[in-house]
Amino acid sequence: MALVRVISSDGAAFLVSQRLAKRSGKLKTEIETFRKSSDNSEAQPEIRIVTIRAEILRLVLQWLQQHQNDPVLPANQNEQDGRGDAEMGQSQWDRDFLAPMDLGIVMELILAANHLEVKGLLDITCKLVESKITGRTVDEIRTAFKLKSDFKGNEEEQTRLENRWCVEN
Amino acid sequence: MNSIETLPNEILCKILGFLSTHEKFRAREVCQKWKGQVDENVPFFDVILSNSSDPAVLARFQTRRVASIILPGPSYLCSNIPIQNLSHLCRLKLVGNVVGPAVTDLATRAVNLTELEIWMNLDSDWPERKKTCELLPALRKIKNLYLRNSFGGIAWFTFECWKPILRDEMPKLKRLEIDVSRWRATDRDTNLFGVVTFKPSANLCEFSLYNSSETQPEGLNSYVRVAAGWEERSEGASASKGLRKLNLIGVTRRVVTDYKQWGILLSDQGNLEELQLYDSYSHFPGCGYDMSIIQQALRNNVDSLHTIRLDIEADRGSNEFDMGIFAPLATLRHLHLIRPGGILRDSGRIVRDLCRIQNCSTVIKGTLRSLLLYGFKFQKQEIDDVIKEMVKLNLERVEFARSAVFEIGVGWNYFQRLALQMNMKPEVKVIMTFLPSGSYGVEFRFIPNANSS
């Protein structure tokens, strides 16, 4: 089985099968680039991911491992078609996987999934953040995400007035 | 520190894009950045343009990325729809009598329009209904077409307009849903399936036929023509991949002699992932379907079916519904059993049988995730057993809709106990249903308990 070494920003090396690694769009490209530039076709590729630390990289690989037999969703999938899928794809395993994470870890995981081009993981993590926005008041959203209102003067009031109509229906 | 502020704009947009229109507007109030993203980059689904909306507010949508528009009334028959940039518009929903020059113009200009949903109501107020013909040029690019009836609608689609759907002139059509209930035989011009045989596009992968009407059984003639068309298609195109999703709702009311005809529709499929087959009216006498047709259909699709919604009362030939027909299904994840009349008394047996099958069968075991029981009646003395068996099924989600447990004096406590033992959180909601006797129902669902993990 062909392997690839994936190295995190803090120097931890993960040895994974190329088949698994290729489920990440980014790693797939990197492996192919390595193949083209290397004279020795047997050589084991080594990929350094400078933006992702070990803890997060481990989570991404763990998710990929669990979902290695899922069909690969096209990255440019029409939003129209994809709307229902994100919900369908979330299994009990995914929920257990995400449950213990705090918001900071989730944000890092989103960035990692985006960087490594793992659409399924990006979808479920974004969906998780969305679920923390839905059903909350503006103040609750600000508290949850540690955001401050940066509206000046009566801008906030103005925005609220603009929004009034959509509640009518 | 990683916070939501570290995310690139494209991802923030993706997250905000999942929100409903209402929530998107609330998100605008959070901070300048969110407001900017919602205004500039987040596509809007389900923008409702109604009479009451202030023109100044509507004008704000002029340049936004609107992905979906709902027009809920006849107000746009003449006036212009205030959206200039239609390049992102992919879904258009028309509720009521809205087809007119402005809508036709909108549908034609939206080059990326892929979904059209039309809900019709009283046509008597709408002398211009033949104007639906004008939508024809826009239809050829449509992938999803939903023709639905809201309450009280009667024969409205004109033959000239919809003939192309029936005769395979919409090559891109992937999903088709038609409520045929109001297509009456009394008006030859409007009873489409009475005049022309349905021949579906080769790309069709999801097909739903509804007969939501209680009082217009004539609509059922349509099924016969549809089945005949299917036969024609199978002979012509052997390369057809078949359907992934087939919904036949309200069909079981048809008299027994016609079952073979629509049975063709079922037996022709080998890649079905979702099958819905149920009756919407329990009190229609002398109806039911031949269980051997269903059994054969399940057998043909054992490796692909993941969702089944079946009216188990329709098999009126025998009183005992055999749960064994589900045993060979290797990929079944969602099972919805519907019993509109609740005539059979031994509802508890259904749960016990399901357990037994799951225990014996090597295939269904481990795949089943959700169970919905609709219209069941549990006996008070069997409830403890039902709870025990239900826990064994190890489901992620359970729903009871219109379960008649209340009638026998055990109510909310029962569901709470059940939820507790399944380590889930109970939820109650009111739902709209197709049922004739009272359009509202109560639904109990059990969802994973967030605190338990």
Side-chain angles (χ1 to χ4, degrees):
Chain A
M1 184 174 63
L3 297 173
V4 55
R5 266 165 79 86
V6 187
I7 300 167
S8 70
S9 62
D10 43 357
F14 296 85
L15 206 56
V16 292
S17 80
Q18 292 193 13
R19 182 180 164 271
L20 187 72
K22 281 181 177 171
R23 296 187 66 88
S24 141
K26 169 85 175 164
L27 294 180
K28 186 169 182 231
T29 319
E30 292 279 342
I31 291 169
E32 279 157 11
T33 315
F34 180 87
R35 280 273 157 275
K36 276 183 207 135
S37 62
S38 164
D39 303 333
N40 178 4
S41 64
E42 295 295 304
Q44 190 180 88
E46 193 173 282
I47 301 167
R48 197 167 278 278
I49 310 288
V50 291
T51 53
I52 305 173
R53 62 195 178 93
E55 186 188 349
I56 304 298
L57 190 56
R58 187 179 55 78
L59 288 171
V60 178
L61 294 172
Q62 197 186 348
W63 189 89
L64 280 173
Q65 177 93 33
Q66 175 67 23
H67 292 270
Q68 58 182 321
N69 295 321
D70 292 3
V72 180
L73 299 170
N76 58 349
Q77 199 182 29
N78 188 338
E79 275 175 282
Q80 182 68 37
D81 291 353
R83 261 198 301 172
D85 292 352
E87 212 162 343
M88 285 298 287
Q90 194 160 9
S91 64
Q92 182 67 41
W93 191 91
D94 286 340
R95 283 194 291 271
D96 292 344
F97 176 70
L98 296 174
M101 295 177 195
D102 68 32
L103 216 48
I105 298 285
V106 173
M107 295 303 165
E108 278 190 85
L109 202 52
I110 289 179
L111 289 170
N114 187 44
H115 181 70
L116 294 175
E117 295 160 43
V118 184
K119 188 178 182 300
L121 181 59
L122 184 62
D123 280 349
I124 62 160
T125 45
C126 284
K127 208 69 191 148
L128 180 75
V129 177
E130 180 263 342
S131 71
K132 299 202 184 299
I133 302 175
T134 298
R136 291 191 170 178
T137 64
V138 175
D139 282 335
E140 283 168 349
I141 295 171
R142 285 190 193 131
T143 314
F145 293 100
K146 300 190 178 69
L147 292 167
K148 286 202 177 68
S149 167
D150 51 1
F151 291 107
K152 293 178 197 76
N154 66 346
E155 276 178 351
E156 185 168 354
E157 184 57 28
Q158 193 61 40
T159 310
R160 202 169 296 137
L161 282 176
E162 284 171 12
N163 287 352
R164 257 209 329 226
W165 70 278
C166 96
V167 192
E168 278 173 29
N169 291 297
Chain B
M1 185 61 215
N2 283 288
S3 74
I4 199 157
E5 289 179 271
T6 60
L7 297 181
N9 285 347
E10 64 189 79
I11 293 183
L12 182 61
C13 279
K14 185 182 169 80
I15 293 170
L16 297 177
F18 284 130
L19 296 169
S20 66
T21 299
H22 184 89
E23 300 274 358
K24 275 173 194 151
F25 275 88
R26 181 176 295 155
R28 287 177 86 234
E29 296 174 30
V30 172
C31 63
Q32 297 270 20
K33 185 179 176 185
W34 285 32
K35 181 179 171 178
Q37 290 304 321
V38 170
D39 285 355
E40 300 302 324
N41 297 321
V42 175
F44 274 83
F45 287 107
D46 299 344
V47 170
I48 300 170
L49 302 181
S50 71
N51 272 336
S52 63
S53 301
D54 181 348
V57 173
L58 291 180
R60 291 180 207 284
F61 280 109
Q62 278 193 1
T63 53
R64 301 243 176 94
R65 293 180 47 179
V66 173
S68 166
I69 296 180
I70 301 176
L71 293 175
S75 50
Y76 288 97
L77 275 173
C78 305
S79 63
N80 284 324
I81 286 150
I83 292 175
Q84 304 305 314
N85 179 0
L86 291 172
S87 58
H88 294 97
L89 187 67
C90 53
R91 178 169 173 256
L92 182 61
K93 179 172 170 180
L94 311 174
V95 186
N97 313 322
V98 289
V99 180
V103 172
T104 311
D105 177 56
L106 183 76
T108 315
R109 280 197 299 136
V111 286
N112 290 317
L113 193 69
T114 52
E115 181 174 315
L116 182 64
E117 178 176 341
I118 303 184
W119 284 82
M120 283 294 171
N121 46 33
L122 300 169
D123 68 335
S124 51
D125 301 343
W126 186 31
E128 302 221 359
R129 70 174 192 267
K130 292 203 167 159
K131 288 261 167 101
T132 42
C133 298
E134 290 174 4
L135 277 174
L136 259 184
L139 284 179
R140 302 202 193 273
K141 62 195 175 193
I142 298 286
K143 282 188 195 162
N144 306 335
L145 182 64
Y146 306 110
L147 305 178
R148 291 169 173 157
N149 255 325
S150 47
F151 188 74
I154 49 172
W156 23 264
F157 293 126
T158 65
F159 173 66
E160 284 309 315
C161 179
W162 304 106
K163 193 177 161 188
I165 313 166
L166 304 175
R167 297 308 298 174
D168 193 17
E169 287 172 37
M170 293 177 62
K172 293 189 171 173
L173 199 63
K174 278 174 79 179
R175 298 182 181 86
L176 176 63
E177 183 183 309
I178 307 180
D179 186 335
V180 293
S181 52
R182 305 291 176 168
W183 292 2
R184 290 185 298 181
T186 46
D187 182 352
R188 281 279 157 225
D189 187 44
T190 52
N191 184 4
L192 285 177
F193 292 131
V195 228
V196 63
T197 305
F198 174 56
K199 192 178 175 218
S201 120
N203 285 325
L204 194 69
C205 61
E206 294 183 12
F207 181 50
S208 308
L209 270 186
Y210 288 85
N211 179 37
S212 68
S213 161
E214 189 175 0
T215 53
Q216 305 280 345
E218 297 96 327
L220 292 165
N221 291 323
S222 310
Y223 288 112
V224 179
R225 306 292 296 182
V226 168
W230 215 272
E231 204 166 24
E232 190 188 321
R233 157 167 140 154
S234 331
E235 282 165 12
S238 54
S240 115
K241 276 178 271 165
L243 296 175
R244 281 192 286 130
K245 194 166 157 184
L246 176 62
N247 303 328
L248 298 172
I249 294 161
V251 290
T252 57
R253 298 163 67 199
R254 192 76 186 140
V255 286
V256 179
T257 47
D258 287 330
Y259 294 155
K260 273 198 191 119
Q261 303 230 26
W262 62 257
I264 292 163
L265 200 58
L266 274 176
S267 57
D268 197 33
Q269 313 303 334
N271 287 312
L272 276 188
E273 290 170 12
E274 190 176 322
L275 176 64
Q276 297 197 42
L277 197 61
Y278 60 92
D279 192 354
S280 31
Y281 299 99
S282 55
H283 51 267
F284 198 80
C287 56
Y289 43 67
D290 183 349
M291 198 45 76
S292 64
I293 295 178
I294 310 295
Q295 202 163 358
Q296 187 57 48
L298 296 189
R299 224 177 278 148
N300 290 345
N301 297 282
V302 281
D303 294 321
S304 54
L305 270 171
H306 60 64
T307 303
I308 296 179
R309 204 175 167 102
L310 194 64
D311 174 353
I312 67 168
E313 207 167 47
D315 185 22
R316 300 217 167 98
S318 68
N319 279 326
E320 296 279 302
F321 177 82
D322 180 12
M323 293 291 286
I325 65 167
F326 300 120
L329 299 170
T331 51
L332 187 63
R333 291 209 292 270
H334 310 285
L335 182 60
H336 297 186
L337 298 175
I338 295 161
R339 169 170 286 177
I343 298 167
L344 299 184
R345 295 220 174 85
D346 56 344
S347 297
R349 184 184 62 82
I350 295 296
V351 178
R352 282 194 296 276
D353 278 2
L354 193 60
C355 249
R356 192 171 44 78
I357 293 162
Q358 214 195 19
N359 287 336
C360 316
S361 155
T362 49
V363 284
I364 197 173
K365 190 170 181 144
T367 65
L368 195 65
R369 288 189 201 161
S370 79
L371 177 65
L372 183 144
L373 299 176
Y374 201 106
F376 279 70
K377 272 184 185 170
F378 293 107
Q379 301 294 300
K380 203 170 184 177
Q381 59 270 27
E382 69 185 0
I383 279 180
D384 284 326
D385 279 350
V386 169
I387 290 180
K388 266 185 221 149
E389 301 287 342
M390 200 75 100
V391 171
K392 277 192 230 158
L393 285 170
N394 196 21
L395 299 167
E396 287 176 17
R397 189 165 151 149
V398 180
E399 292 183 24
F400 296 90
R402 287 178 61 90
S403 284
V405 129
F406 281 121
E407 289 172 22
I408 51 168
V410 273
W412 177 234
N413 286 346
Y414 159 70
F415 290 103
Q416 254 183 333
R417 255 167 66 205
L418 186 53
L420 199 68
Q421 293 195 34
M422 290 192 295
N423 202 13
M424 289 186 191
K425 191 168 68 180
E427 262 189 9
V428 184
K429 70 171 185 182
V430 176
I431 49 164
M432 285 282 281
T433 74
F434 274 107
L435 286 178
S437 47
S439 291
Y440 294 96
V442 176
E443 186 177 289
F444 296 92
R445 57 162 62 170
F446 300 99
I447 55 172
N449 194 342
N451 301 328
S452 69
S453 50

